[in-house]
Amino acid sequence: MSWLDFFRARKPDTTAAAAKERLQIVLAHERIGRTREDFLPKLQQEIVAVVAKYVAIDPGKVNVSLDRGGDMSTLAIEIDLPGPAGDRIRGAAAS
Amino acid sequence: MAEVIVVTSGKGGVGKTTSSAAFATGLAQRGKKVVVIDFDVGLRNLDLIMGVERRVVFDIVNVIQGEARLNQALIRDKRVDTLQILPASQTRDKDALTKEGVGQIIEELAKDNDYILCDSPAGIEKGALLALYFADQAIVVTNPEVSSVRDSDRILGVLQSKSKRAEDRKEPVKEHLLVTRYDPVRVEKGEMLKLDDIREILAIPLLGVIPESESVLRASNTGTPVVMDAESVAGQAYKDAVGRFLGDKVEHRFLEAQKKGLFSRLFGGRAA
């Protein structure tokens, strides 16, 4: 650390601080997993099944990605819907 | 009835055997009758760290398989006479250990000892599970390093779900945190997890902090448990931890970086 750092308002982030933050996030998730089974595969299956009930979708065109964060995790399920030229939409026709 | 204490960590190389040897010796030095058992079948090392490697005749697997009696396999320490060592087998594999066999040994040892220390192998396989199964108390050895802290958290989960106490729905295994290889100089530089951070993450009571010390390697070179080196900071820290375990009020030491005086700055030298 140079003597100029002494005057800086904020100390630079240390690698130890990064270690703590990463540990807190990974352990928060692992502790949940300990008591509950891994529900993600089932969740994905069920959501896709619900969508498939209304829209004809290609099961090969389903993308699932997960980003585990500290305050918030995001689960993105991306399903390619067929274009207007594609299959009919049964759900809309019901009304 | 003896208390059964498992020394565990999940991760390998963090100081389980060093801590088991130091703790067992420290307890015996306080007049307790102690047996320390090596559960690392196939990779035994407690015998070397305790300096009894040349006196091993029978081991825990011989006893379980009825090839030797328990007191033929126990090795009495020549320095502290209330301390005995039960070595692991070097030639068999971990499947030679059975829950019934280990249970019988512990039951028999509990009759005339105060403490039975179980030195766990790394991992969460059979050897490690058996080492912790009968535990009343657990000393979780952790280095200030991400993979060690994560594995400690995992092993705490195993203690809470797979120990006999958990299965019998009895009072849970009493957990103690023992942080080893702590380097206050690196902590001060922000290069190593702080003690408070580890405590916050693992959230179990702190038994002791063993500073990184050259004396640990020196002690293992000669097969002398480091707690017998009264000059070394690690030896003193283990002695303090044993005291705390027995209910003494002992302040934690060696948590701050030593301010180097002019003399040591000029002539170098590190912690003993």
Side-chain angles (χ1 to χ4, degrees):
Chain A
M1 208 195 295
S2 88
W3 63 274
L4 274 171
D5 289 334
F6 187 77
F7 298 102
R8 290 201 180 121
R10 190 174 145 272
K11 289 220 171 109
D13 287 338
T14 62
T15 55
K20 183 188 182 188
E21 196 187 327
R22 290 176 59 222
L23 269 171
Q24 282 175 322
I25 293 171
V26 74
L27 290 182
H29 291 285
E30 285 180 359
R31 285 169 185 160
I32 294 168
R34 221 181 265 163
T35 47
R36 247 189 302 164
E37 54 164 340
D38 189 9
F39 59 87
L40 275 177
K42 206 161 174 223
L43 176 71
Q44 181 200 334
Q45 272 175 18
E46 287 179 16
I47 288 179
V48 172
V50 168
V51 176
K53 207 166 131 187
Y54 299 99
V55 190
I57 53 170
D58 178 354
K61 288 185 176 168
V62 178
N63 258 316
V64 182
S65 66
L66 175 68
D67 185 14
R68 295 185 156 156
D71 305 323
M72 192 183 74
S73 299
T74 51
L75 170 70
I77 300 183
E78 198 184 308
I79 305 172
D80 263 24
L81 298 182
D87 257 314
R88 67 210 157 88
I89 297 170
R90 271 192 289 160
S95 59
Chain B
M1 269 304 271
E3 283 275 298
V4 181
I5 310 164
V6 61
V7 179
T8 186
S9 68
K11 190 178 182 299
V14 297
K16 280 183 298 296
T17 301
T18 300
S19 298
S20 298
F23 235 81
T25 308
L27 285 168
Q29 283 177 324
R30 294 281 301 259
K32 305 294 178 191
K33 295 183 77 180
V34 183
V35 180
V36 56
I37 307 176
D38 190 350
F39 275 80
D40 207 345
V41 172
L43 291 167
R44 83 167 168 230
N45 275 316
L46 182 69
D47 56 337
L48 267 181
I49 301 303
M50 294 292 304
V52 300
E53 71 279 6
R54 289 195 284 182
R55 296 168 61 204
V56 176
V57 184
F58 296 113
D59 56 60
I60 186 169
V61 173
N62 293 135
V63 178
I64 287 177
Q65 304 200 333
E67 298 153 357
R69 275 180 291 113
L70 181 56
N71 47 25
Q72 290 178 308
L74 288 169
I75 303 168
R76 190 165 291 281
D77 192 270
K78 285 187 172 164
R79 297 155 297 210
V80 196
D81 68 355
T82 55
L83 174 61
Q84 298 184 95
I85 299 111
L86 180 58
S89 167
Q90 185 68 325
T91 50
R92 317 284 180 97
D93 63 61
K94 287 189 166 63
D95 291 328
L97 293 178
T98 62
K99 197 177 269 184
E100 297 70 35
V102 172
Q104 278 171 14
I105 287 175
I106 286 181
E107 197 179 313
E108 177 128 12
L109 289 174
K111 286 179 199 157
D112 42 25
N113 284 286
D114 298 311
Y115 293 102
I116 300 168
L117 258 85
C118 302
D119 180 20
S120 173
I124 47 171
E125 308 297 320
K126 193 171 186 186
L129 292 180
L130 277 175
L132 67 79
Y133 185 71
F134 296 96
D136 301 307
Q137 307 201 40
I139 297 174
V140 178
V141 183
T142 307
N143 288 172
E145 180 266 321
V146 285
S147 51
S148 176
V149 175
R150 181 197 213 171
D151 291 359
S152 291
D153 191 76
R154 182 88 174 82
I155 210 76
L156 286 168
V158 174
L159 277 164
Q160 289 154 14
S161 62
K162 301 212 169 133
S163 61
K164 187 165 192 303
R165 281 181 171 268
E167 281 183 4
D168 296 350
R169 298 186 181 279
K170 283 208 217 145
E171 204 181 309
V173 177
K174 192 173 173 198
E175 300 154 341
H176 307 270
L177 175 63
L178 185 68
V179 176
T180 55
R181 309 200 66 169
Y182 195 69
D183 186 341
V185 174
R186 301 199 74 183
V187 170
E188 210 163 77
K189 286 187 197 155
E191 295 176 355
M192 183 179 268
L193 281 164
K194 284 200 288 278
L195 175 65
D196 288 344
D197 293 345
I198 302 169
R199 295 182 70 177
E200 185 188 330
I201 291 167
L202 293 177
I204 61 171
L206 179 69
L207 182 61
V209 180
I210 314 299
E212 174 80 67
S213 162
E214 292 174 358
S215 60
V216 175
L217 178 59
R218 280 203 303 270
S220 78
N221 287 341
T222 56
T224 319
V226 69
V227 73
M228 301 190 105
D229 184 353
E231 303 283 299
S232 86
V233 286
Q236 293 170 43
Y238 273 117
K239 199 172 176 206
D240 288 358
V242 169
R244 264 178 230 116
F245 186 85
L246 294 174
D248 299 352
K249 293 265 176 287
V250 192
E251 287 278 319
H252 290 280
R253 297 191 277 170
F254 319 116
L255 302 181
E256 306 293 331
Q258 293 278 314
K259 294 281 174 280
K260 279 201 170 179
L262 181 65
F263 185 84
S264 55
R265 246 187 258 207
L266 286 175
F267 298 102
R270 291 203 244 166

